[in-house]
Amino acid sequence: MESELADLKMIIKELNLGQDFTSGLRELIIKKPIGDNGVLAQELVEKIMASFCKTLKMLNPSKYVNEYPQIPVAIDSSCRKGGRRSPEDSSGSCCKKSSSKDQRFCNKKRKISGTSVKETSTLLDDGHVWRKYGQKQILDAPYPRSYYRCTHKFDQGCEATKQEQRIQENPPQFRTMYQGHHTCTTYPTVSQIFLDSQTHHEDSSILLSFDSNVNHYNPYFPTFPSTKKDMKEEVSLSCFYPNQHQIQSSSSDYFLPFEYDYSTPTAETFGHVKAALSSESDNGNFISSGSSCTEHCMEMMLGSIDFEDLPFSI
DNA sequence: AGTATTTGACCTAC
DNA sequence: GTAGGTCAAATACT
């Protein structure tokens, strides 16, 4: 029995390694698309990732959750579909009152590992869709703490949660604590990638895609931007991170000339940026530049461009 | 009507 | 025993 458990642990460990390697490969492909086969490669990587997740979910016994926190563990949604449950439901079918209560707090162990804390002056959109499920007044804290879970907790078993709490009124200061990793297949928006890049890669760059062709498969931007307003908000948000904002792509339809310094906007560089935003093609439009874009530059861009008049369709 | 938020109650970890 | 995290009915919103 013990040796079987040891074997299972080894299998899960190996699968986790494979998952990590595939994740690394995905990042590489996203950063450096490999020509004509790039889309196919991205699709294959997504399928491999899905396969790893599926296998790990099947193998994962709940008692290993703490030892392998990166394993996505799906909750038995058949016992809690649709969020609300009528009182009579609790006495029937799979969720008898006692077992329901047993399950209710099965994940209630206070999470210590796998957390990250951010303190910001504003409550920024982190790119994920959260559902508020509680608010609590905390002892000796002047402001209540809000509890959020990933909106895909029940449909995809995503266990990511976050807590938000105002810690100061003037100037406003908020503390956001993230717990768990997103295992849902809703890909991050530009702002999320940007926030991640702040945490993990000092010199990372981002790609702004204004692709309006829904058939063009791009796993990181499946629906972006869904509206022109969304796009404006995404671009606006990036203004908060002026020194790290780079617009870059190696397979762009539109290149900003590299000989210009886009960190100091001039009439000339503005013309390039505006033309890039306004251009259109069948394969989608990309802006590419080796220069970083400063907050000032982004603000001026936003001020000078009428987003409602952009030619691509939504 | 469907979805999201609010909020008091409940339960567990400490 | 208490503080903090979660549930779920009620309520608000779209």
Side-chain angles (χ1 to χ4, degrees):
Chain A
M1 184 65 186
E2 270 187 28
S3 66
E4 278 180 25
L5 284 175
D7 287 345
L8 188 57
K9 283 184 179 182
M10 283 298 292
I11 291 168
I12 292 174
K13 201 174 178 180
E14 285 301 315
L15 285 168
N16 275 321
L17 267 175
Q19 196 179 30
D20 287 344
F21 292 148
T22 312
S23 181
L25 181 61
R26 179 165 68 179
E27 278 184 36
L28 268 178
I29 291 173
I30 297 294
K31 278 183 180 173
K32 279 189 174 279
I34 50 176
D36 293 337
N37 292 323
V39 173
L40 186 63
Q42 285 174 6
E43 279 186 30
L44 285 171
V45 166
E46 293 307 313
K47 283 178 182 173
I48 295 168
M49 284 295 281
S51 187
F52 272 120
C53 287
K54 219 172 175 178
T55 312
L56 283 164
K57 276 179 187 174
M58 286 190 286
L59 281 173
N60 184 68
S62 57
K63 60 181 172 182
Y64 294 143
V65 167
N66 289 337
E67 291 176 63
Y68 302 103
Q70 68 271 47
I71 303 169
V73 182
I75 286 185
D76 184 6
S77 56
S78 64
C79 284
R80 210 187 307 130
K81 269 181 183 160
R84 204 189 295 188
R85 195 179 59 206
S86 60
E88 54 269 28
D89 285 350
S90 63
S91 59
S93 68
C94 68
C95 288
K96 294 205 187 308
K97 186 122 187 165
S98 59
S99 63
S100 172
K101 285 196 172 183
D102 289 345
Q103 287 225 337
R104 181 172 158 180
F105 294 97
C106 63
N107 287 329
K108 210 175 167 297
K109 290 190 179 81
R110 295 219 165 103
K111 297 161 185 173
I112 301 161
S113 60
T115 65
S116 65
V117 181
K118 283 191 174 82
E119 288 188 11
T120 54
S121 56
T122 52
L123 286 172
L124 296 172
D125 172 19
D126 57 18
H128 290 284
V129 186
W130 299 97
R131 172 82 171 268
K132 188 174 182 177
Y133 65 86
Q135 182 171 303
K136 192 85 182 176
Q137 189 63 51
I138 301 302
L139 193 71
D140 294 332
Y143 306 99
R145 179 178 297 168
S146 298
Y147 299 87
Y148 299 84
R149 61 169 171 77
C150 177
T151 194
H152 299 294
K153 176 173 181 172
F154 297 125
D155 59 352
Q156 295 180 37
C158 183
E159 285 294 286
T161 63
K162 73 168 177 177
Q163 300 174 4
E164 275 180 352
Q165 189 171 11
R166 181 188 280 266
I167 53 177
Q168 190 178 296
E169 178 67 55
N170 208 355
Q173 194 76 12
F174 299 89
R175 178 179 294 136
T176 307
M177 182 157 68
Y178 294 91
Q179 294 178 328
H181 300 106
H182 283 276
T183 55
C184 53
T185 52
T186 299
Y187 296 95
T189 59
V190 167
S191 51
Q192 172 60 39
I193 291 172
F194 210 76
L195 288 169
D196 286 349
S197 75
Q198 272 217 311
T199 312
H200 305 299
H201 312 290
E202 280 294 308
D203 59 347
S204 64
S205 58
I206 65 167
L207 164 67
L208 282 183
S209 164
F210 303 116
D211 189 349
S212 59
N213 183 353
V214 293
N215 295 319
H216 178 73
Y217 183 79
N218 185 340
Y220 266 79
F221 301 99
T223 58
F224 174 78
S226 56
T227 64
K228 289 177 183 175
K229 183 173 165 286
D230 285 349
M231 188 190 81
K232 188 172 179 180
E233 283 172 357
E234 290 292 340
V235 177
S236 299
L237 190 72
S238 61
C239 290
F240 286 106
Y241 310 98
N243 297 323
Q244 295 178 54
H245 189 187
Q246 278 196 330
I247 306 170
Q248 193 168 41
S249 166
S250 59
S251 61
S252 305
D253 292 331
Y254 195 99
F255 285 89
L256 295 178
F258 280 87
E259 60 268 28
Y260 293 95
D261 178 14
Y262 293 91
S263 61
T264 47
T266 64
E268 204 159 25
T269 56
F270 257 31
H272 296 311
V273 172
K274 192 172 179 179
L277 281 169
S278 303
S279 68
E280 63 178 332
S281 82
D282 290 336
N283 297 321
N285 308 314
F286 297 91
I287 302 177
S288 179
S289 167
S291 308
S292 63
C293 204
T294 65
E295 180 177 16
H296 183 54
C297 179
M298 291 299 290
E299 277 177 349
M300 299 251 318
M301 274 168 56
L302 287 167
S304 68
I305 294 164
D306 185 356
F307 284 80
E308 295 304 314
D309 287 335
L310 291 178
F312 47 79
S313 59
I314 302 295

